[in-house]
Amino acid sequence: MLTGREIHPIAYPDGEVRTADFRVVEAPVLAPGPGEVLVRNTWTSVDAALRLRLRQAAPEGYFVAFPLGAPMDGILTVGEVVESRAEAFEVGDTVRHAFGWRDYAVVRAGEPALAGVGTLARVDLELAPAQAYLGLLGGSGLPAYVGLFEIAGLRAGDVVWVSAAAGSVGSLAAQLAKINGNRVIGSAGSDAKVAYLLDELGLDAAFNYRSGPLPELLREAAPDGIDVYFDNVGGDHLEAALGALRRWGRVAICGTISDYGAPAPAPGPSNIFLAVAKDLTIRGFRGSSHVDRMDEMTRRVAGWQREGRIRYRETVVEGLERAPEALAALIRGETTGKTVVRIA
Ligand SMILES: NC(=O)c1ccc[n+]([C@@H]2O[C@H](COP(=O)([O-])OP(=O)(O)OC[C@H]3O[C@@H](n4cnc5c(N)ncnc54)[C@H](OP(=O)(O)O)[C@@H]3O)[C@@H](O)[C@H]2O)c1
């Protein structure tokens, strides 16, 4: 019988993610039933938000926590169909689904996963390589696209700040705003990442948030203030944005990674009254709630990449067993662009 490896969390991280919190388990691979396919996974995704599910209970209303001692369902993955009992799929198809961090997955066609983003679907390899459907044309492209154009309502002339701008979602949001013709400021946690933002992504200004007080760094980069803040970080970054936003400014809260590993909830921004004083709109969103725009995003973003207007960098980690290590590195800020694990 075919066996495959699965990564199981065995303890919820206390603060930092540690590889000791996971175990690699050999498990028999079941045969697909009617309406199912067997997929040999080739690439799997590593996302900041996985940290929110490595807890006893995930934040209310969000995707559920990963149970201990079980495979991790709900992680975007691509692979090749090796056996099919589902009408619409054939052996050899390259597909995206949500049963990641394992060698093989049995997936039921048509069953919604990851709020639709991870429902079994064939991917178009003429548009982009398979792993691009995890980030650029998937779980990062969608929040960057809807966050900017719909949630923040990006307009001509807006000055935009994107935090965690060298990361997967951030690097795309920043470049989409550039394509729209906006002035874009990016921030990241190292000088090497700042150089990447300026030299490779062509942002108008960038700073290392570790190099001084955040409000001052932001003021230097945007002396006249900002109109849109695309928030990946929360905490002190959101507070700095509230200070820098101009009247009628907008905040799209995509994530708050600065508190994902925090032992206790942090107090809200001390200057939240500025939202009143400046008529600000602050709106959180989930990319998956806009999955109806996935095809539109895929077409447009793939087109911009083909034209050379989007640079897409990946941090590739080799080997399924290294997925936990990759997640820990991502949260520590050691990865750039989209982090993916090559399984086979
Ligand atoms: N709303 C949605 O639908 C949706 C979907 C996907 C992702 N997200 C959110 O988007 C954000 C980025 O996710 P991603 O998967 O693309 O990860 P990523 O940006 O590729 O990696 C996370 C980055 O966050 C930065 N970071 C970590 N701790 C930080 C801190 N305390 N302060 C400032 N920066 C910190 C690190 O970069 P530095 O070196 O710059 O510190 C790290 O590279 C996360 O908040 C995630 O939850 C939201």
Side-chain angles (χ1 to χ4, degrees), residues 37 44 69 100 130 176 189 202 221-222 224 236 269 290 329:
V37 297
T44 192
L176 294 181
D224 299 324
D236 58 348
H290 304 266

Side-chain angles (χ1 to χ4, degrees), residues 234-318:
D236 58 348
H237 283 57
L238 177 58
E239 198 164 285
L242 290 171
L245 278 155
R246 298 196 274 227
R247 192 118 190 261
W248 306 110
R250 286 141 283 140
V251 180
I253 302 192
C254 180
T256 62
I257 192 169
S258 65
D259 65 23
Y260 291 176
S270 63
N271 56 353
I272 191 68
F273 183 77
L274 293 177
V276 177
K278 300 188 198 178
D279 289 292
L280 304 180
T281 302
I282 303 176
R283 213 179 140 190
F285 71 100
R286 295 168 69 162
S288 57
S289 301
H290 304 266
V291 70
D292 55 314
R293 301 191 68 181
M294 183 71 103
D295 289 347
E296 168 197 334
M297 179 284 293
T298 301
R299 202 172 6 89
R300 298 192 74 193
V301 169
W304 287 321
Q305 194 207 12
R306 208 172 32 244
E307 292 164 9
R309 299 175 77 191
I310 288 185
R311 298 287 190 97
Y312 182 57
R313 191 189 278 196
E314 286 169 344
T315 298
V316 176
V317 176
E318 299 287 347

